[in-house]
Amino acid sequence: MILDRILIHVLVAFVRCALLVVVPTLWAADAPACGPEIPEDTSGWQHNPDAEQWFRQQVERGNDARFEARFAADARQRTVRASVIEDLLLQSRRTVRLRMKGIFATCAVVVGSIGLRYAEVPEPVTLQGFTFLGDVDLSWTHFQKTLRLDGGHFRRDVSFNTATLGQALFLTDARFEGEANFGAFDVGGALVATGAQFRNPSKDAIANFNSAKVGNTMFFDHAVFYGPTSFEHVSIGLDFRGQGLEARNTAFPLDFRHMKAHRIRLQSALLSGQVWLGEVSADAIQLESLQQPVSGPPSIDLAQAVIRGQLSIKDAVLEDLIAPQIRVEGVAELRQVTIKRWFNFQHASFVHCAWFGVTLPANRWHAWFDGVSYEYISFTDDDVRDKFSALFQWPSRMRYSASVYAGLEKFLNDQGYSDAAKQIAIAQRRDDRARLSGIGWLNSCLLDILIGYGKRPFRAIWACLVVVIGGRFVFRRKAGMEPTKAEYATQWYSPAWYSLGLFLPVVDLEMSKVWRPGNDRRWARHYMRLHILLGWILVPLFAAGLAGLVK
């Protein structure tokens, strides 16, 4: 019995989820064809009593009120007062017994301002293709069912501030000429605003969705925003979808800060100016195949965002990519991305970084990657096959930081690529050398050449061999040598052993004490001293590198 109940609850939850996902999408029908565009100047327009009476009758009978079919000749004949809309919506709660589908009307022109604050609307309402000439204020109104305003044209301000909807809100192809205030509104299902246009570019006509709650998905595919737009603190049960979305205002950012969602998808979007995604919390963020606005590439801000799954930025040209302290718990993939001005991932945290074809700013001092932590990082589909060439170039393309080199060195060592790790360590010291001068620069060059900064100590062996072989050539003839004491004149002489004994510090091979260059070979005597000095330099340097004392 318990198992049966669990299965029933799971099935009910699945059906509810399917209805929330599928039904709003299936019902997102195109707005009706309402005839010619209504002129901008409607100052002399009055309501049509016949249209109002017919509208009331249709609603009371449970019939569709298609104004474009009944009054097709002239849009002036489709005019109704805002108070009629208010009365019908309120009557649906009080006196009029409606069929299950509620109110369904299309293509009316509403004269005056609608004010339904704190109203309770229990039935589904469809007002498709309506033109609202005045303000529409639905603040704190509760719609128990679905509200459809597809194809609506809102000539002035609209407010859904703190309104609640039990099911879905449809704004497909709607046009907003004034302020659109959806702040703190709560919809149990989906918000479908595919193709909607928020047309006023004024700073006072903001498209405001701050602190809104959406139980399902926010659909803004191919929506166009001409003015300031804010989705700050929005909470979404499923996805924010903005495929083909256009943010055309360069003066004000497209603001998603503190948004919570399953997935934020901006694919093939045209983004102008700044896009703020700071401190968002999502399972995935996708910024892919972004269109290029005429005003220039967008700036993306992901500072302190928390992404529990994948971050995907693909096929994009960006002015800036700012993401300090971002945390990505899945794969962070940047593929074929160009950043022109600023790149900042300071103190970011990743599980897996995949940076394929990333072009950083030309000025390396405009790119930060210091303090970044990751478990795995890759720069091509097969770094091993490509001999880590892209990985080796990565640190030199951004602002110098020892942590960048140290992170890559640790990663390569952990993966078992110790030789590549040594190469990264050498690259760091060479990068350090670019900021040195004088003796410091010369010392760095010698350490690089002779022992690879302690990572290639056996390079010093070759230098030692050159010196020893050179000494053998200088001291090759016994006739040019003389014994240090008369009794040593009969001792055996070998130029190779003499050169080696002279070169090795501390070690006594005796021959260097028995022979020395003749008095007539002053240059050979000077070289002898240099030979000894080189031995005291190269041999300890080799030993120090081998012991890991040179860092």
Side-chain angles (χ1 to χ4, degrees):
M1 291 293 293
I2 296 177
L3 183 59
D4 291 341
R5 289 181 181 178
I6 293 174
L7 289 174
I8 290 172
H9 283 299
V10 171
L11 182 60
V12 169
F14 176 77
V15 171
R16 289 182 62 187
C17 189
L19 288 173
L20 286 173
V21 174
V22 177
V23 172
T25 306
L26 293 177
W27 284 4
D30 294 334
C34 297
E37 183 74 16
I38 294 173
E40 291 294 327
D41 185 9
T42 57
S43 56
W45 286 36
Q46 301 293 327
H47 69 282
N48 181 1
D50 293 338
E52 291 181 351
Q53 182 179 2
W54 173 80
F55 186 21
R56 291 177 185 273
Q57 291 174 351
Q58 293 294 100
V59 171
E60 291 174 356
R61 293 169 183 170
N63 297 331
D64 295 350
R66 298 185 179 275
F67 283 82
E68 76 280 12
R70 180 63 182 264
F71 304 98
D74 186 357
R76 289 174 178 267
Q77 301 301 312
R78 303 200 302 266
T79 53
V80 297
R81 287 171 295 174
S83 59
V84 174
I85 303 295
E86 296 171 358
D87 292 343
L88 286 174
L89 292 176
L90 295 174
Q91 282 178 359
S92 67
R93 176 171 59 86
R94 295 197 301 267
T95 60
V96 178
R97 188 176 183 84
L98 300 178
R99 294 195 305 179
M100 185 175 178
K101 71 175 182 179
I103 298 175
F104 186 100
T106 59
C107 296
V109 179
V110 181
V111 179
S113 296
I114 294 177
L116 277 180
R117 289 192 170 199
Y118 304 101
E120 183 79 18
V121 182
E123 301 295 339
V125 177
T126 298
L127 304 176
Q128 288 184 324
F130 270 46
T131 298
F132 299 90
L133 301 182
D135 294 336
V136 177
D137 188 356
L138 300 174
S139 302
W140 293 282
T141 297
H142 176 53
F143 292 86
Q144 294 184 15
K145 305 292 184 179
T146 295
L147 174 62
R148 304 189 63 108
L149 299 171
D150 307 281
H153 190 179
F154 300 88
R155 292 289 183 89
R156 297 184 65 181
D157 295 344
V158 178
S159 179
F160 276 81
N161 183 51
T162 323
T164 58
L165 293 94
Q167 294 183 355
L169 172 62
F170 289 88
L171 298 169
T172 304
D173 296 325
R175 289 177 292 170
F176 298 86
E177 304 291 350
E179 180 180 2
N181 183 4
F182 291 83
F185 92 117
D186 190 335
V187 55
L191 168 59
V192 183
T194 303
Q197 297 184 34
F198 300 82
R199 300 175 64 87
N200 198 319
S202 169
K203 67 178 181 180
D204 299 321
I206 185 172
N208 175 26
F209 294 86
N210 287 350
S211 302
K213 295 182 180 179
V214 178
N216 192 284
T217 295
M218 293 184 85
F219 293 89
F220 280 92
D221 296 342
H222 306 289
V224 182
F225 298 91
Y226 289 87
T229 306
S230 179
F231 293 94
E232 191 173 0
H233 290 285
V234 169
S235 178
I236 308 172
L238 290 178
D239 297 355
F240 178 93
R241 276 185 37 176
Q243 183 171 357
L245 176 148
E246 298 183 18
R248 294 184 172 274
N249 196 305
T250 59
F252 303 97
L254 180 61
D255 192 351
F256 293 95
R257 288 177 299 172
H258 305 280
M259 176 181 279
K260 296 181 179 179
H262 170 61
R263 182 185 287 109
I264 300 173
R265 302 172 62 183
L266 294 171
Q267 296 170 309
S268 302
L270 189 149
L271 306 174
S272 303
Q274 301 180 51
V275 181
W276 290 352
L277 288 157
E279 299 183 64
V280 302
S281 177
D283 291 334
I285 293 180
Q286 295 174 300
L287 305 172
E288 300 175 355
S289 303
L290 300 182
Q291 302 179 52
Q292 289 304 300
V294 176
S295 58
S299 296
I300 306 296
D301 187 340
L302 285 159
Q304 300 182 35
V306 177
I307 305 170
R308 293 175 293 276
Q310 182 183 28
L311 169 64
S312 176
I313 305 178
K314 298 181 180 178
D315 301 316
V317 177
L318 307 176
E319 187 72 11
D320 308 305
L321 181 56
I322 310 297
Q325 300 181 48
I326 187 175
R327 186 169 86 242
V328 183
E329 298 171 4
V331 178
E333 182 179 6
L334 273 65
R335 187 182 290 268
Q336 303 306 320
V337 177
T338 298
I339 300 99
K340 290 184 171 293
R341 187 173 59 179
W342 298 103
F343 174 87
N344 187 346
F345 274 84
Q346 284 181 298
H347 306 291
S349 175
F350 301 104
V351 173
H352 182 179
C353 299
W355 313 91
F356 300 161
V358 177
T359 302
L360 297 180
N363 186 341
R364 68 175 295 189
W365 299 100
H366 289 183
W368 287 267
F369 204 67
D370 49 297
V372 176
S373 63
Y374 46 84
E375 295 180 14
Y376 194 89
I377 189 167
S378 55
F379 293 89
T380 66
D381 291 318
D382 191 340
D383 282 322
V384 178
R385 180 197 62 202
D386 297 328
K387 300 180 180 179
F388 299 104
S389 57
L391 184 148
F392 293 147
Q393 295 172 13
W394 181 253
S396 63
R397 295 164 59 195
M398 61 193 60
R399 180 183 291 263
Y400 174 81
S401 171
S403 67
V404 178
Y405 287 100
L408 291 174
E409 184 181 1
K410 180 181 182 301
F411 164 72
L412 290 169
N413 276 321
D414 291 346
Q415 296 297 314
Y417 303 113
S418 57
D419 197 62
K422 291 177 181 178
Q423 192 164 335
I424 279 289
I426 293 171
Q428 178 186 353
R429 295 297 300 274
R430 288 173 177 169
D431 206 349
D432 287 334
R433 190 170 70 212
R435 284 169 294 282
L436 299 176
S437 60
I439 298 299
W441 180 86
L442 181 60
N443 179 60
S444 179
C445 288
L446 290 175
L447 289 176
D448 185 7
I449 295 168
L450 295 175
I451 58 171
Y453 297 107
K455 302 299 180 180
R456 300 279 189 266
F458 286 95
R459 286 183 183 175
I461 294 293
W462 296 104
C464 293
L465 286 174
V466 169
V467 174
V468 172
I469 292 172
R472 187 197 179 286
F473 176 78
V474 173
F475 311 119
R476 67 187 181 278
R477 293 185 299 108
K478 185 177 180 180
M481 308 295 290
E482 66 179 23
T484 56
K485 294 181 179 180
E487 59 265 29
Y488 295 158
T490 59
Q491 291 285 332
W492 175 70
Y493 174 75
S494 169
W497 284 108
Y498 179 79
S499 177
L500 182 60
L502 202 64
F503 178 78
L504 292 175
V506 182
V507 178
D508 183 9
L509 297 181
E510 295 187 354
M511 190 167 290
S512 59
K513 292 183 177 181
V514 174
W515 298 95
R516 65 187 177 194
N519 286 328
D520 58 337
R521 301 181 67 200
R522 296 188 62 183
W523 68 271
R525 288 205 169 193
H526 288 308
Y527 174 77
M528 176 187 69
R529 297 181 181 93
L530 177 62
H531 196 87
I532 295 170
L533 184 60
L534 289 174
W536 278 97
I537 294 173
L538 295 176
V539 174
L541 198 60
F542 166 71
L546 200 61
L549 299 178
V550 179
K551 301 295 184 182

